[in-house]
Amino acid sequence: MSDFQIGMVAIGLMLGGIYFGMHIGVALIVTSFVSVWMVKSPEVAASFVAASANDAIRDYLFGVIPLFVLMGMLVSVSGVGRDTFDVFQWLMRRIRGGLGLATVAANAVFAAITGISIASASVFTKVAVPEMMRHGYTARFSVGVVAGSSVLGMLIPPSLLMIIYGVLAEESIGRMFIAGIIPGAVLALGFAVLILAMAYLKPEMIGTEDALNGVCVDGDETPLSAAIKFVPILLLITLVLGGLYGGFFTPTEAGAMGAAGALVIALVRRRLDWRKLWQVLVETGYVSVSVLFLIIAAMLYSRMLALTGMPNSVTEGITHMGLGPWGFMAMYVAIVIALGCIIDSVSIMLIMIPIVLPIARTFGMDVVWFGVVTVIAVEIGLLTPPFGVSVYTVKSALNDPRITIKDIFAGTFPFVLMMLAVLVVIVAFPKLSTWLAYL
């Protein structure tokens, strides 16, 4: 077989392994090792794996992953999610469908201090869903709005997916973070418009008349108490994003400052004892090690593909097909969304980016904009059956047998449609992604 054919077979075997239950990192490493063995020799393959593992995460920049994960875990423990929801519930108490809007707004703010969609889905399932159902919102809408708006955590900085894309594309992580601000705000606004449209045009999809008319006021909340609850959140966002955007911190330093700030908030609120601190550290280790292992595997996979010459051959083939940049983008987005139905978001990026990024560069596409488009397309997979990670997270956190997986998928469907609409807008207007990033 030619080197190109070996590369194609490797991708097929890797996808097959994942489909039959092999861990994505193991599948990437095994197929890459075997492919290099076939192209060169066993000795070269062994040294190839060792060199890739050594080069993959030795840069201090990769400290950004455990630091932002730690910040997100500490924020979850400190009760910031509950307070954020309380503040927005009070602010939107007289708006039709206000609790749904409060959930979206709280998710957007929470996303700015966590960066992990699963954390948002878990927190707001426990906080917002019981509150909405208690006030007459339907179960399907309640779980749908939580699962739908949880994906904001992967777009609004700091975002774990943005970090992974920045590593794979060798692009500034700080620039990727900043590029997600406007698209994240646009997506949150799109969700808000969707909820208002449903409240006025299809009120039966949301709940009772009392719920729609905003009869869900917390009489104990005052402007002072709301301000007291929101100040720590605002300070943490300003510390991390303000320091990063103002050029005071590198992404790694911003992660360290954010983790320290989240620790202070948790301690001041007396939400952190030794047992919880140990749980936070262990969970941070689990998440960080799994992500870093995937990055090592992805580096090996990317180098294997380059060795076989497959990316260049695919680039030439796509160019000769005459699809043009827009045809290529439409095909790419369709493939990513389809993959989202069967594998998780990180795996999609690890598999696709090394193949498609050279093609995007050939067409003259901006790498930062391409990353934002990729993240939004990947996020759609968090809500689509049968895989839908956010949907299963909501189901697990809710632990209510009356609400089925089918109900949650049905509730998220309008939000999937809105995400597709926002994706079209971001593709059509690249400046929404690049304007702040290149200031």
Side-chain angles (χ1 to χ4, degrees), residues 383-433:
L383 303 177
T384 51
F387 199 77
V389 174
S390 286
V391 171
Y392 284 97
T393 301
V394 169
K395 175 63 177 174
S396 175
L398 192 60
N399 196 25
D400 187 340
R402 297 172 300 172
I403 301 175
T404 65
I405 287 291
K406 182 180 177 181
D407 291 328
I408 306 175
F409 275 122
T412 60
F413 183 68
F415 295 91
V416 171
L417 296 180
M418 179 53 69
M419 291 184 72
L420 288 170
V422 170
L423 181 59
V424 171
V425 171
I426 299 300
V427 169
F429 301 99
K431 283 290 184 182
L432 291 173
S433 305

Short mmCIF file of all heavy atoms in Angstrom, two decimals, residues 383-433:
data_model
loop_
_atom_site.label_atom_id
_atom_site.label_comp_id
_atom_site.label_asym_id
_atom_site.label_seq_id
_atom_site.Cartn_x
_atom_site.Cartn_y
_atom_site.Cartn_z
N LEU A 383 -26.21 18.14 21.97
CA LEU A 383 -27.66 18.13 22.17
C LEU A 383 -28.39 17.18 21.24
O LEU A 383 -29.62 17.08 21.31
CB LEU A 383 -28.22 19.55 21.95
CG LEU A 383 -27.63 20.66 22.83
CD1 LEU A 383 -28.23 22.00 22.44
CD2 LEU A 383 -27.87 20.38 24.30
N THR A 384 -27.66 16.50 20.34
CA THR A 384 -28.33 15.67 19.34
C THR A 384 -28.24 14.19 19.72
O THR A 384 -27.21 13.74 20.23
CB THR A 384 -27.70 15.88 17.95
OG1 THR A 384 -26.27 15.73 18.05
CG2 THR A 384 -28.03 17.25 17.41
N PRO A 385 -29.33 13.43 19.48
CA PRO A 385 -29.30 12.00 19.79
C PRO A 385 -28.46 11.24 18.78
O PRO A 385 -28.25 11.73 17.68
CB PRO A 385 -30.79 11.61 19.69
CG PRO A 385 -31.38 12.62 18.74
CD PRO A 385 -30.61 13.89 18.95
N PRO A 386 -27.98 10.04 19.14
CA PRO A 386 -28.20 9.38 20.43
C PRO A 386 -27.15 9.70 21.50
O PRO A 386 -27.31 9.31 22.64
CB PRO A 386 -28.10 7.90 20.05
CG PRO A 386 -27.10 7.87 18.94
CD PRO A 386 -27.31 9.14 18.15
N PHE A 387 -26.06 10.44 21.13
CA PHE A 387 -24.97 10.63 22.09
C PHE A 387 -25.28 11.74 23.09
O PHE A 387 -25.34 11.50 24.27
CB PHE A 387 -23.66 10.90 21.34
CG PHE A 387 -22.45 10.66 22.18
CD1 PHE A 387 -22.01 9.38 22.44
CD2 PHE A 387 -21.75 11.71 22.73
CE1 PHE A 387 -20.88 9.15 23.24
CE2 PHE A 387 -20.64 11.50 23.51
CZ PHE A 387 -20.21 10.21 23.77
N GLY A 388 -25.47 12.98 22.64
CA GLY A 388 -25.93 14.11 23.44
C GLY A 388 -25.43 14.17 24.87
O GLY A 388 -26.20 13.95 25.81
N VAL A 389 -24.15 14.49 25.08
CA VAL A 389 -23.56 14.46 26.42
C VAL A 389 -24.32 15.35 27.40
O VAL A 389 -24.59 14.95 28.54
CB VAL A 389 -22.08 14.89 26.36
CG1 VAL A 389 -21.51 15.00 27.77
CG2 VAL A 389 -21.27 13.88 25.56
N SER A 390 -24.66 16.58 26.99
CA SER A 390 -25.37 17.49 27.89
C SER A 390 -26.73 16.93 28.30
O SER A 390 -27.18 17.11 29.43
CB SER A 390 -25.55 18.86 27.22
OG SER A 390 -24.33 19.56 27.18
N VAL A 391 -27.39 16.26 27.37
CA VAL A 391 -28.70 15.68 27.65
C VAL A 391 -28.57 14.59 28.72
O VAL A 391 -29.36 14.55 29.69
CB VAL A 391 -29.32 15.10 26.36
CG1 VAL A 391 -30.58 14.29 26.69
CG2 VAL A 391 -29.67 16.23 25.40
N TYR A 392 -27.58 13.74 28.60
CA TYR A 392 -27.39 12.67 29.57
C TYR A 392 -26.91 13.22 30.92
O TYR A 392 -27.22 12.65 31.97
CB TYR A 392 -26.42 11.62 29.04
CG TYR A 392 -27.05 10.73 28.00
CD1 TYR A 392 -26.87 10.99 26.64
CD2 TYR A 392 -27.85 9.65 28.36
CE1 TYR A 392 -27.48 10.19 25.68
CE2 TYR A 392 -28.45 8.85 27.41
CZ TYR A 392 -28.26 9.11 26.07
OH TYR A 392 -28.86 8.33 25.11
N THR A 393 -26.18 14.33 30.88
CA THR A 393 -25.77 14.98 32.12
C THR A 393 -26.97 15.50 32.88
O THR A 393 -27.09 15.35 34.10
CB THR A 393 -24.79 16.13 31.83
OG1 THR A 393 -23.64 15.63 31.15
CG2 THR A 393 -24.35 16.81 33.12
N VAL A 394 -27.90 16.14 32.15
CA VAL A 394 -29.13 16.65 32.76
C VAL A 394 -29.94 15.50 33.36
O VAL A 394 -30.44 15.57 34.48
CB VAL A 394 -29.98 17.42 31.73
CG1 VAL A 394 -31.39 17.71 32.27
CG2 VAL A 394 -29.29 18.72 31.36
N LYS A 395 -30.07 14.42 32.60
CA LYS A 395 -30.83 13.26 33.08
C LYS A 395 -30.21 12.68 34.35
O LYS A 395 -30.91 12.36 35.32
CB LYS A 395 -30.87 12.19 31.98
CG LYS A 395 -31.51 10.87 32.38
CD LYS A 395 -32.98 11.03 32.76
CE LYS A 395 -33.59 9.68 33.09
NZ LYS A 395 -34.97 9.81 33.60
N SER A 396 -28.89 12.57 34.37
CA SER A 396 -28.19 12.02 35.53
C SER A 396 -28.34 12.92 36.75
O SER A 396 -28.59 12.44 37.86
CB SER A 396 -26.72 11.81 35.19
OG SER A 396 -26.00 11.37 36.32
N ALA A 397 -28.18 14.24 36.54
CA ALA A 397 -28.26 15.18 37.66
C ALA A 397 -29.68 15.30 38.20
O ALA A 397 -29.89 15.52 39.40
CB ALA A 397 -27.74 16.55 37.23
N LEU A 398 -30.67 15.15 37.32
CA LEU A 398 -32.07 15.33 37.72
C LEU A 398 -32.57 14.13 38.51
O LEU A 398 -33.27 14.28 39.51
CB LEU A 398 -32.94 15.52 36.47
CG LEU A 398 -34.37 16.00 36.69
CD1 LEU A 398 -34.40 17.35 37.40
CD2 LEU A 398 -35.10 16.08 35.36
N ASN A 399 -32.23 12.93 38.05
CA ASN A 399 -32.61 11.70 38.74
C ASN A 399 -34.13 11.65 39.02
O ASN A 399 -34.56 11.36 40.13
CB ASN A 399 -31.82 11.57 40.05
CG ASN A 399 -31.89 10.16 40.62
OD1 ASN A 399 -32.10 9.20 39.88
ND2 ASN A 399 -31.72 10.05 41.93
N ASP A 400 -34.92 11.97 38.00
CA ASP A 400 -36.38 11.96 38.11
C ASP A 400 -36.93 10.99 37.06
O ASP A 400 -36.85 11.27 35.85
CB ASP A 400 -36.93 13.37 37.88
CG ASP A 400 -38.43 13.45 38.15
OD1 ASP A 400 -39.10 12.40 38.15
OD2 ASP A 400 -38.93 14.58 38.35
N PRO A 401 -37.47 9.86 37.46
CA PRO A 401 -37.95 8.86 36.48
C PRO A 401 -39.10 9.36 35.62
O PRO A 401 -39.37 8.78 34.56
CB PRO A 401 -38.39 7.69 37.37
CG PRO A 401 -38.63 8.28 38.73
CD PRO A 401 -37.67 9.42 38.85
N ARG A 402 -39.78 10.42 36.05
CA ARG A 402 -40.90 10.94 35.26
C ARG A 402 -40.42 11.64 33.99
O ARG A 402 -41.19 11.79 33.03
CB ARG A 402 -41.73 11.93 36.09
CG ARG A 402 -42.41 11.32 37.32
CD ARG A 402 -43.02 12.41 38.17
NE ARG A 402 -42.01 13.35 38.63
CZ ARG A 402 -42.29 14.49 39.26
NH1 ARG A 402 -43.55 14.83 39.49
NH2 ARG A 402 -41.30 15.29 39.67
N ILE A 403 -39.19 12.11 33.98
CA ILE A 403 -38.64 12.83 32.82
C ILE A 403 -37.67 11.91 32.10
O ILE A 403 -36.63 11.52 32.65
CB ILE A 403 -37.93 14.13 33.26
CG1 ILE A 403 -38.90 15.04 34.01
CG2 ILE A 403 -37.35 14.85 32.06
CD1 ILE A 403 -38.27 16.28 34.59
N THR A 404 -38.01 11.56 30.89
CA THR A 404 -37.22 10.59 30.12
C THR A 404 -36.18 11.29 29.24
O THR A 404 -36.24 12.51 29.05
CB THR A 404 -38.13 9.74 29.23
OG1 THR A 404 -38.73 10.59 28.24
CG2 THR A 404 -39.22 9.07 30.05
N ILE A 405 -35.24 10.50 28.73
CA ILE A 405 -34.26 11.02 27.78
C ILE A 405 -34.97 11.62 26.56
O ILE A 405 -34.56 12.66 26.02
CB ILE A 405 -33.29 9.90 27.34
CG1 ILE A 405 -32.33 9.55 28.48
CG2 ILE A 405 -32.51 10.30 26.10
CD1 ILE A 405 -31.33 10.63 28.81
N LYS A 406 -36.04 10.97 26.12
CA LYS A 406 -36.80 11.46 24.98
C LYS A 406 -37.36 12.85 25.26
O LYS A 406 -37.34 13.73 24.39
CB LYS A 406 -37.94 10.49 24.66
CG LYS A 406 -38.78 10.89 23.46
CD LYS A 406 -39.89 9.88 23.21
CE LYS A 406 -40.76 10.33 22.04
NZ LYS A 406 -41.86 9.36 21.79
N ASP A 407 -37.85 13.09 26.48
CA ASP A 407 -38.37 14.41 26.85
C ASP A 407 -37.28 15.48 26.76
O ASP A 407 -37.51 16.59 26.28
CB ASP A 407 -38.93 14.38 28.27
CG ASP A 407 -40.19 13.55 28.39
OD1 ASP A 407 -40.96 13.50 27.41
OD2 ASP A 407 -40.41 12.96 29.47
N ILE A 408 -36.08 15.13 27.22
CA ILE A 408 -34.99 16.12 27.22
C ILE A 408 -34.55 16.42 25.79
O ILE A 408 -34.33 17.59 25.43
CB ILE A 408 -33.80 15.62 28.07
CG1 ILE A 408 -34.27 15.25 29.48
CG2 ILE A 408 -32.73 16.71 28.15
CD1 ILE A 408 -33.18 14.63 30.35
N PHE A 409 -34.40 15.39 24.96
CA PHE A 409 -34.04 15.63 23.56
C PHE A 409 -35.11 16.48 22.86
O PHE A 409 -34.78 17.38 22.08
CB PHE A 409 -33.85 14.30 22.82
CG PHE A 409 -32.48 13.71 22.96
CD1 PHE A 409 -32.30 12.43 23.49
CD2 PHE A 409 -31.35 14.42 22.57
CE1 PHE A 409 -31.03 11.89 23.63
CE2 PHE A 409 -30.08 13.88 22.71
CZ PHE A 409 -29.93 12.61 23.23
N ALA A 410 -36.37 16.20 23.14
CA ALA A 410 -37.46 16.99 22.54
C ALA A 410 -37.40 18.44 23.02
O ALA A 410 -37.63 19.37 22.24
CB ALA A 410 -38.81 16.37 22.88
N GLY A 411 -37.07 18.64 24.30
CA GLY A 411 -36.98 19.99 24.83
C GLY A 411 -35.83 20.79 24.25
O GLY A 411 -35.90 22.01 24.12
N THR A 412 -34.75 20.10 23.89
CA THR A 412 -33.59 20.80 23.35
C THR A 412 -33.71 21.08 21.84
O THR A 412 -32.94 21.89 21.31
CB THR A 412 -32.29 19.98 23.56
OG1 THR A 412 -32.42 18.71 22.90
CG2 THR A 412 -32.03 19.76 25.03
N PHE A 413 -34.66 20.44 21.16
CA PHE A 413 -34.75 20.58 19.70
C PHE A 413 -34.85 22.03 19.22
O PHE A 413 -34.14 22.42 18.28
CB PHE A 413 -35.92 19.75 19.16
CG PHE A 413 -36.03 19.79 17.66
CD1 PHE A 413 -35.07 19.18 16.86
CD2 PHE A 413 -37.08 20.46 17.04
CE1 PHE A 413 -35.16 19.22 15.47
CE2 PHE A 413 -37.18 20.51 15.66
CZ PHE A 413 -36.22 19.89 14.87
N PRO A 414 -35.70 22.87 19.84
CA PRO A 414 -35.73 24.28 19.40
C PRO A 414 -34.39 24.98 19.55
O PRO A 414 -34.03 25.84 18.74
CB PRO A 414 -36.80 24.92 20.30
CG PRO A 414 -37.65 23.77 20.75
CD PRO A 414 -36.71 22.61 20.88
N PHE A 415 -33.64 24.61 20.57
CA PHE A 415 -32.34 25.23 20.80
C PHE A 415 -31.31 24.76 19.77
O PHE A 415 -30.41 25.52 19.39
CB PHE A 415 -31.87 24.94 22.23
CG PHE A 415 -32.74 25.56 23.27
CD1 PHE A 415 -33.81 24.86 23.79
CD2 PHE A 415 -32.52 26.86 23.70
CE1 PHE A 415 -34.65 25.44 24.74
CE2 PHE A 415 -33.34 27.44 24.64
CZ PHE A 415 -34.41 26.74 25.16
N VAL A 416 -31.43 23.53 19.32
CA VAL A 416 -30.58 23.05 18.24
C VAL A 416 -30.82 23.85 16.97
O VAL A 416 -29.89 24.25 16.26
CB VAL A 416 -30.82 21.54 17.98
CG1 VAL A 416 -30.09 21.09 16.72
CG2 VAL A 416 -30.36 20.72 19.17
N LEU A 417 -32.10 24.10 16.67
CA LEU A 417 -32.44 24.91 15.49
C LEU A 417 -31.86 26.32 15.60
O LEU A 417 -31.34 26.87 14.62
CB LEU A 417 -33.95 24.97 15.30
CG LEU A 417 -34.66 23.64 15.00
CD1 LEU A 417 -36.17 23.87 14.85
CD2 LEU A 417 -34.10 23.01 13.73
N MET A 418 -31.94 26.90 16.80
CA MET A 418 -31.38 28.25 16.99
C MET A 418 -29.86 28.22 16.84
O MET A 418 -29.27 29.15 16.27
CB MET A 418 -31.76 28.79 18.37
CG MET A 418 -31.21 30.18 18.68
SD MET A 418 -31.60 31.44 17.41
CE MET A 418 -33.38 31.59 17.64
N MET A 419 -29.21 27.18 17.32
CA MET A 419 -27.76 27.08 17.16
C MET A 419 -27.38 26.99 15.68
O MET A 419 -26.38 27.58 15.26
CB MET A 419 -27.23 25.86 17.91
CG MET A 419 -27.30 25.98 19.41
SD MET A 419 -26.57 24.56 20.27
CE MET A 419 -24.83 24.85 19.95
N LEU A 420 -28.16 26.25 14.91
CA LEU A 420 -27.90 26.17 13.47
C LEU A 420 -28.04 27.56 12.82
O LEU A 420 -27.23 27.93 11.96
CB LEU A 420 -28.86 25.19 12.81
CG LEU A 420 -28.62 23.70 13.11
CD1 LEU A 420 -29.78 22.86 12.61
CD2 LEU A 420 -27.32 23.23 12.48
N ALA A 421 -29.05 28.32 13.24
CA ALA A 421 -29.24 29.66 12.70
C ALA A 421 -28.07 30.57 13.06
O ALA A 421 -27.56 31.33 12.21
CB ALA A 421 -30.56 30.25 13.22
N VAL A 422 -27.61 30.49 14.31
CA VAL A 422 -26.46 31.31 14.74
C VAL A 422 -25.20 30.88 14.01
O VAL A 422 -24.37 31.72 13.63
CB VAL A 422 -26.28 31.20 16.27
CG1 VAL A 422 -24.96 31.83 16.71
CG2 VAL A 422 -27.44 31.86 16.99
N LEU A 423 -25.05 29.58 13.78
CA LEU A 423 -23.89 29.09 13.04
C LEU A 423 -23.85 29.68 11.63
O LEU A 423 -22.78 30.09 11.15
CB LEU A 423 -23.94 27.56 12.97
CG LEU A 423 -22.79 26.86 12.23
CD1 LEU A 423 -21.45 27.20 12.88
CD2 LEU A 423 -23.00 25.35 12.20
N VAL A 424 -24.99 29.74 10.99
CA VAL A 424 -25.06 30.35 9.65
C VAL A 424 -24.63 31.82 9.72
O VAL A 424 -23.89 32.31 8.86
CB VAL A 424 -26.48 30.23 9.07
CG1 VAL A 424 -26.63 31.05 7.80
CG2 VAL A 424 -26.82 28.77 8.79
N VAL A 425 -25.08 32.53 10.75
CA VAL A 425 -24.72 33.95 10.91
C VAL A 425 -23.21 34.10 11.11
O VAL A 425 -22.58 34.98 10.51
CB VAL A 425 -25.49 34.56 12.11
CG1 VAL A 425 -24.96 35.96 12.43
CG2 VAL A 425 -26.98 34.63 11.80
N ILE A 426 -22.62 33.25 11.95
CA ILE A 426 -21.18 33.33 12.22
C ILE A 426 -20.37 33.01 10.97
O ILE A 426 -19.33 33.62 10.70
CB ILE A 426 -20.79 32.39 13.37
CG1 ILE A 426 -21.51 32.78 14.66
CG2 ILE A 426 -19.28 32.39 13.58
CD1 ILE A 426 -21.22 34.17 15.15
N VAL A 427 -20.85 32.03 10.18
CA VAL A 427 -20.16 31.69 8.92
C VAL A 427 -20.26 32.85 7.93
O VAL A 427 -19.29 33.20 7.26
CB VAL A 427 -20.75 30.40 8.32
CG1 VAL A 427 -20.23 30.18 6.90
CG2 VAL A 427 -20.40 29.20 9.19
N ALA A 428 -21.43 33.46 7.86
CA ALA A 428 -21.67 34.54 6.89
C ALA A 428 -20.94 35.83 7.28
O ALA A 428 -20.58 36.63 6.39
CB ALA A 428 -23.16 34.80 6.75
N PHE A 429 -20.74 36.04 8.58
CA PHE A 429 -20.12 37.29 9.05
C PHE A 429 -18.91 36.96 9.93
O PHE A 429 -18.99 37.02 11.17
CB PHE A 429 -21.13 38.14 9.82
CG PHE A 429 -22.35 38.52 9.01
CD1 PHE A 429 -23.53 37.80 9.14
CD2 PHE A 429 -22.30 39.58 8.12
CE1 PHE A 429 -24.64 38.14 8.40
CE2 PHE A 429 -23.40 39.93 7.37
CZ PHE A 429 -24.59 39.21 7.51
N PRO A 430 -17.77 36.63 9.32
CA PRO A 430 -16.57 36.25 10.08
C PRO A 430 -16.11 37.31 11.07
O PRO A 430 -15.48 36.98 12.09
CB PRO A 430 -15.52 36.02 8.99
CG PRO A 430 -16.30 35.72 7.76
CD PRO A 430 -17.55 36.54 7.86
N LYS A 431 -16.40 38.58 10.80
CA LYS A 431 -15.95 39.66 11.68
C LYS A 431 -16.49 39.52 13.09
O LYS A 431 -15.90 40.03 14.05
CB LYS A 431 -16.37 41.02 11.11
CG LYS A 431 -15.54 41.50 9.95
CD LYS A 431 -14.13 41.89 10.41
CE LYS A 431 -13.30 42.46 9.28
NZ LYS A 431 -11.93 42.78 9.74
N LEU A 432 -17.63 38.84 13.25
CA LEU A 432 -18.18 38.61 14.58
C LEU A 432 -17.21 37.82 15.45
O LEU A 432 -17.20 37.96 16.67
CB LEU A 432 -19.53 37.90 14.49
CG LEU A 432 -20.70 38.68 13.91
CD1 LEU A 432 -21.91 37.79 13.72
CD2 LEU A 432 -21.05 39.87 14.81
N SER A 433 -16.40 36.99 14.81
CA SER A 433 -15.43 36.18 15.53
C SER A 433 -14.06 36.83 15.62
O SER A 433 -13.34 36.66 16.62
CB SER A 433 -15.27 34.80 14.85
OG SER A 433 -16.49 34.15 14.72
#
